[in-house]
Amino acid sequence: MLSLIDPAAMIAALPTLAPLPRRRVQEILDGQLADMTHILIIGPDDTEANIVAEIGFSPLDLERLRFSECGLNPAWDILHDHRGWFELVFCVANDGFAFVLLIEDHEPPTPLVHMCRTYGRVGP
């Protein structure tokens, strides 16, 4: 997992990123939102515990409900399927702060990837 918590970290990471994460990080920088955004780039080996340790919550545990095969009323703000990557956004304060999770689609799917495949909408 790559955790980008400020503009300097985002700029430093740009040359190493895959095309979709690079484009989204650049758009966040260009939109002057980098000071209010914490980006996580999540790959196949990253666990739910790693995510919780980094941002303090699990994207699978929402409003005392947990994603399962039987469904969930999602509480995130954006979930886009970028065909190979998912973008999951949680706005957490009125000042505009957000967590942006860029999740690589992979086989076999983790519960997080399965949730994204189930609820993701094709994004820009």
Side-chain angles (χ1 to χ4, degrees):
M1 176 174 10
L2 184 58
S3 181
L4 307 174
I5 61 171
D6 59 36
M10 294 175 198
I11 291 166
L14 279 173
T16 67
L17 299 178
L20 184 275
R22 182 178 30 237
R23 179 174 60 88
R24 292 300 296 129
V25 170
Q26 188 64 61
E27 289 170 352
I28 289 167
L29 287 164
D30 291 346
Q32 300 178 344
L33 299 172
D35 286 327
M36 298 188 307
T37 306
H38 183 158
I39 301 171
L40 286 184
I41 299 174
I42 300 169
D45 297 327
D46 296 316
T47 67
E48 181 180 2
N50 298 137
I51 296 167
V52 171
E54 189 61 35
I55 63 173
F57 67 94
S58 169
L60 297 171
D61 291 326
L62 306 168
E63 299 182 343
R64 298 187 188 157
L65 297 173
R66 181 171 177 86
F67 171 77
S68 70
E69 297 296 329
C70 63
L72 167 75
N73 184 17
W76 51 78
D77 295 287
I78 297 169
L79 175 49
H80 284 213
D81 180 348
H82 292 285
R83 306 290 187 203
W85 287 87
F86 298 99
E87 181 176 7
L88 184 57
V89 179
F90 295 90
C91 297
V92 295
N94 289 336
D95 66 355
F97 183 84
F99 290 101
V100 175
L101 283 59
L102 299 173
I103 305 152
E104 185 179 0
D105 194 356
H106 57 81
E107 292 293 341
T110 59
L112 180 58
V113 167
H114 182 66
M115 182 186 76
C116 290
R117 287 179 182 177
T118 300
Y119 290 100
R121 296 178 188 203
V122 176

